[in-house]
Amino acid sequence: MGATMRAAQFHEDTKKVQVNDVPIPEISRDNQILVKIASASLCHSDLMLLDGSFPGPGRPVTLGHEAVGYVEKCGSRVKGFKAGDRIGFLYITGCCFECEGCQVHNLNCETGNAQLHGFGEDGFFAEYALVDYQNAIILPQNMDMKTSAPVFCAGITAYHAVNECDLKPGQWLAVIGCGGLGLLAIQYAKAMGFRVVGLDINDNILAAAKEAGAEFTFNSMTNKEYAKELKEATGGGVHAAAVFSGSKAAYDGAPDVLRMNGLIMAIGLMSRPLEINSIAFMRGLFRVKSTATGPPWKMPKAVDFTAKHDINTNVSFHKLDDINDMIEKMKTGKSMGRMAVVF
């Protein structure tokens, strides 16, 4: 291991992403693991740093918060890991992992020190990275290091989104936004015994949704009768609609496909507040719920389910120098599934 590594970094002053030679990070807290990154994948929320929706640290910061890798070194307080272990990990660092806030979401840590890898702290589009051992898990042997990076944001989020809809086998789930997270959600839903409808505005993505297991698909932009047709196909509407798109139109249309008192699972991040019809909400026409990737105590169940059911992450492989092309494809909606840099 040399003294420097290559990392894809966002420069807040120029608003550009470039690959830089930077020092390999050194363990500075006793709960940290130095990880040799095997693969790192791009998430749509990474774009929120680039467009200014999420503040950066005021210096060049390494992008990325979805990755897997190999343990290189361990801090003195690290438990359960050793050099060479294959691990995946979550992406909120600096929190205590123990307070009441951390049991709900680590960004709620009562210390006020929590930071996101790839935003306030350096992330994972680099040859090496530091992670808190409390965020890490040993990968099951059947999970490939090249394809597993998306599991540690998109996959775990999609699993929790579907699982926490609290549906019964045979009930209907609408997946609104069938890109990377949506395709994963369809697979999780089918593995749990649910029936799935896919909604998107891209016919190519809808074809992929059909292949992943959606029984019906609808283009909500070109088919003005999609809500009526969906309710006819499902015998009155879906029992839950998981919204993975961050668009206002996706959220606005969700109540239209639900049956009485159906659930909206709000996952897609919007840059504006979510608007809810308070009268319809009061009448119980629909319910609203949300979830996220963390905290770490929820991770093992999702990872084990992913491995047991051989969930396909739909990932394409790229080099670190392709990072700007990857970003452009995601911005323009031309990416199918997830895009990963393999080191």
Side-chain angles (χ1 to χ4, degrees), residues 184-195:
L184 286 163
I186 291 168
Q187 294 179 74
Y188 286 120
K190 296 299 290 185
M192 293 178 193
F194 309 147
R195 304 182 73 180

Side-chain angles (χ1 to χ4, degrees), residues 65-313:
H65 63 273
E66 288 183 342
V68 295
Y70 301 93
V71 174
E72 186 78 15
K73 294 180 182 178
C74 294
S76 61
R77 196 163 59 88
V78 171
K79 301 175 183 177
F81 301 96
K82 63 183 186 304
D85 281 345
R86 305 163 69 250
I87 62 172
F89 33 87
L90 300 181
Y91 47 83
I92 299 174
T93 184
C95 49
C96 73
F97 298 100
E98 296 176 357
C99 69
E100 186 176 1
C102 278
Q103 303 316 301
V104 178
H105 194 292
N106 294 115
L107 284 179
N108 301 331
C109 183
E110 293 167 8
T111 67
N113 297 325
Q115 293 284 348
L116 286 165
H117 283 292
F119 295 87
E121 289 287 343
D122 286 325
F124 305 144
F125 278 114
E127 294 176 281
Y128 293 88
L130 293 171
V131 302
D132 297 345
Y133 87 88
Q134 295 95 329
N135 274 329
I137 189 171
I138 301 289
L139 282 184
Q141 282 299 316
N142 68 325
M143 291 182 66
D144 191 328
M145 297 295 276
K146 290 177 64 178
T147 61
S148 294
V151 171
F152 289 90
C153 177
I156 295 174
T157 300
Y159 170 83
H160 292 323
V162 174
N163 188 51
E164 293 177 29
C165 283
D166 297 323
L167 300 180
K168 298 176 182 177
Q171 290 187 321
W172 285 98
L173 172 72
V175 172
I176 302 179
C178 296
L181 269 80
L183 290 176
L184 286 163
I186 291 168
Q187 294 179 74
Y188 286 120
K190 296 299 290 185
M192 293 178 193
F194 309 147
R195 304 182 73 180
V196 182
V197 180
L199 285 79
D200 206 283
I201 60 173
N202 183 311
D203 287 334
N204 291 329
I205 291 176
L206 287 171
K210 193 85 169 180
E211 187 175 344
E215 293 184 43
F216 302 102
T217 59
F218 297 93
N219 188 315
S220 56
M221 182 170 65
T222 60
N223 182 356
K224 304 304 180 185
E225 299 293 321
Y226 79 91
K228 177 183 176 183
E229 293 176 13
L230 182 151
K231 286 194 169 184
E232 290 174 353
T234 58
V238 297
H239 298 85
V243 183
F244 293 99
S245 169
S247 74
K248 184 176 185 298
Y251 278 102
D252 287 348
D256 298 336
V257 302
L258 293 172
R259 64 182 61 212
M260 179 63 66
N261 199 232
L263 176 71
I264 297 173
M265 177 60 75
I267 303 297
L269 300 179
M270 298 176 63
S271 58
R272 66 178 76 182
L274 178 62
E275 297 177 359
I276 295 176
N277 183 322
S278 60
I279 296 176
F281 194 47
M282 174 272 295
R283 290 172 55 194
L285 298 183
F286 59 85
R287 295 165 290 134
V288 180
K289 188 177 180 181
S290 188
T291 188
T293 310
W297 64 264
K298 296 173 64 176
M299 176 169 52
K301 187 176 179 181
V303 173
D304 289 347
F305 190 95
T306 300
K308 179 180 178 181
H309 295 277
D310 197 23
I311 301 298
N312 179 6
T313 53

